[in-house]
């Protein structure tokens, strides 16, 4: 009598690959990547991170970037479940941290609904790496009592963000505002924040945080959109708003603006 056997259930781990610099990976993330038999990799993950993967690992790129053709979320979740049920050790490799605008919560919920346990390994989120690269903290006893992480766009079908209210809360409570995926909504963000925050509130725009091609500019809130356009700063970028930027700006504002202008001129002439 032949007996049918069910393949052993595999494992699934959501791993934060950090903001881009491969040296910012945690040891725990490296260990998970090394044992994975299947890696489902987001667009913003640095290819150098995949050097830790075993030679026979199956690497599947499942890109998700604003303004670009993206792999449907439902398809990614189906891939995860199927691979685990086939006995694979799956690593869902995400830029930054899985639980900060990485849809990690949605994926964990889906896996649990399918009866699959999932481990999560945190990564350094881009908002922290971006501001740290400028020598600025997110919180400071004299300048910021907390920090708010925001997404620059709402989920399709949901109401748009009320940036006036966000600005009023951040300004009133002394909070640093960090906006992810905000380049496409820059005008709406600036218009809303200016209704509740002073025009001379400082803003930093950091493109490709922690990567070799990082560029950034510091400006006033009322000049934010113009700086973004004139400097040709684009996604992926993090926008930081608040008084924590004042200590850095007093020493480096002119140098940074000049460096950005030089970069723009070199690309124009090249």
């Amino acid at each position: 009598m032949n007996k049918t056997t069910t393949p052993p259930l595999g494992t699934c781990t959501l791993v934060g690959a950090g903001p881009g610099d491969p040296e910012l990976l945690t040891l725990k993330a490296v260990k998970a990547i090394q044992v994975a038999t299947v890696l489902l990799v987001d667009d913003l993950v640095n290819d150098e991170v995949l050097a830790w993967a075993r030679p026979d690992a199956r690497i599947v790129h499942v890109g998700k970037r604003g303004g670009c053709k993206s792999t449907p979320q439902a398809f990614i979740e189906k891939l995860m479940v199927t691979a685990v049920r086939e006995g694979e050790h799956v690593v869902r490799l995400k830029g930054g941290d899985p639980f900060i605008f990485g849809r990690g919560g949605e994926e964990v919920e889906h896996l649990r609904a399918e009866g699959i346990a999932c481990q999560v390994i945190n990564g350094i989120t881009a908002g922290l790496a971006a501001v740290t690269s400028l020598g600025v903290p997110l919180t400071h006893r004299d300048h910021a009592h907390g920090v708010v992480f925001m997404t620059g766009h709402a989920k399709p079908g949901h109401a748009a963000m009320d940036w006036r209210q966000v600005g009023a809360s951040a300004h009133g409570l002394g909070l640093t505002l960090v906006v992810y995926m905000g380049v496409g909504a820059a005008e709406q963000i600036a218009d809303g924040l200016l209704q509740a925050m002073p025009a001379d509130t400082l803003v930093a725009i950091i493109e490709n945080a922690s990567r070799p091609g990082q560029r950034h500019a510091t400006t006033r809130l009322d000049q934010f959109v113009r700086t973004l356009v004139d400097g040709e700063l684009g996604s992926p970028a993090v926008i930081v708003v608040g008084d924590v930027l004042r200590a850095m700006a007093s020493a480096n504002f002119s140098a940074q603006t000049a460096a950005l202008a030089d970069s723009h001129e070199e690309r124009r002439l090249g």
Side-chain angles (χ1 to χ4, degrees):
M1 180 176 178
N2 294 328
K3 293 183 178 180
T4 58
T5 59
T6 302
L9 193 67
T11 61
C12 187
T13 306
L14 272 59
V15 176
D21 182 350
E23 293 187 350
L24 293 178
L25 275 174
T26 66
L27 291 174
K28 196 166 187 176
V30 169
K31 290 177 182 178
I33 293 169
Q34 287 175 327
V35 301
T37 57
V38 174
L39 293 107
L40 304 178
V41 185
D42 273 350
D43 262 0
L44 293 179
V45 174
N46 191 327
D47 286 342
E48 293 181 37
V49 169
L50 299 178
W52 294 106
R54 48 193 277 179
D56 60 341
R58 181 159 59 97
I59 298 173
V60 183
H61 292 276
V62 287
K64 296 194 78 64
R65 282 181 78 168
C68 302
K69 185 177 180 180
S70 299
T71 306
Q73 184 65 25
F75 181 72
I76 295 173
E77 292 170 356
K78 182 178 180 180
L79 284 178
M80 295 166 71
V81 171
T82 299
V84 171
R85 287 179 174 165
E86 290 174 349
E88 304 282 3
H89 297 293
V90 179
V91 159
R92 175 76 172 98
L93 197 57
K94 296 172 171 288
D97 183 273
F99 277 179
I100 299 182
F101 306 121
R103 298 197 181 181
E106 297 173 36
E107 292 175 356
V108 168
E109 289 174 359
H110 183 81
L111 290 164
R112 287 174 179 166
E114 296 289 333
I116 297 172
C118 183
Q119 182 183 13
V120 178
I121 298 175
N122 294 116
I124 295 176
T125 186
L128 175 59
V131 76
T132 299
S133 72
L134 306 183
V136 177
L138 283 176
T139 62
H140 189 291
R141 289 195 299 174
D142 295 330
H143 302 299
H145 305 300
V147 58
V148 180
F149 293 118
M150 300 288 298
T151 176
H153 60 82
K155 183 177 180 180
H158 287 60
M161 195 70 63
D162 185 343
W163 291 104
R164 184 206 60 78
Q165 184 176 3
V166 171
S169 298
H171 182 60
L173 297 174
L175 307 176
T176 303
L177 178 60
V178 181
V179 183
Y180 293 66
M181 301 169 284
V183 171
E187 291 189 12
Q188 298 96 304
I189 293 171
D191 289 346
L193 294 182
L194 281 167
Q195 295 178 43
M197 305 178 83
D200 64 352
T201 301
L202 290 180
V203 180
I205 310 150
I206 305 100
E207 176 189 284
N208 284 315
S210 86
R211 293 174 178 264
Q214 174 177 319
R215 299 191 306 135
H216 59 272
T218 306
T219 187
R220 292 163 45 114
L221 181 57
D222 60 353
Q223 298 172 11
F224 161 48
V225 175
R226 179 179 177 181
T227 300
L228 188 70
V229 173
D230 288 351
E232 297 183 357
L233 290 157
S235 299
V238 174
I239 300 161
V240 181
V241 184
D243 286 343
V244 288
L245 297 168
R246 292 199 175 277
M248 178 272 293
S250 61
N252 298 334
F253 181 90
S254 296
Q256 289 173 5
T257 303
L260 182 64
D262 289 344
S263 172
H264 174 56
E265 182 67 11
E266 288 174 3
R267 287 184 291 112
R268 186 182 68 82
L269 294 175

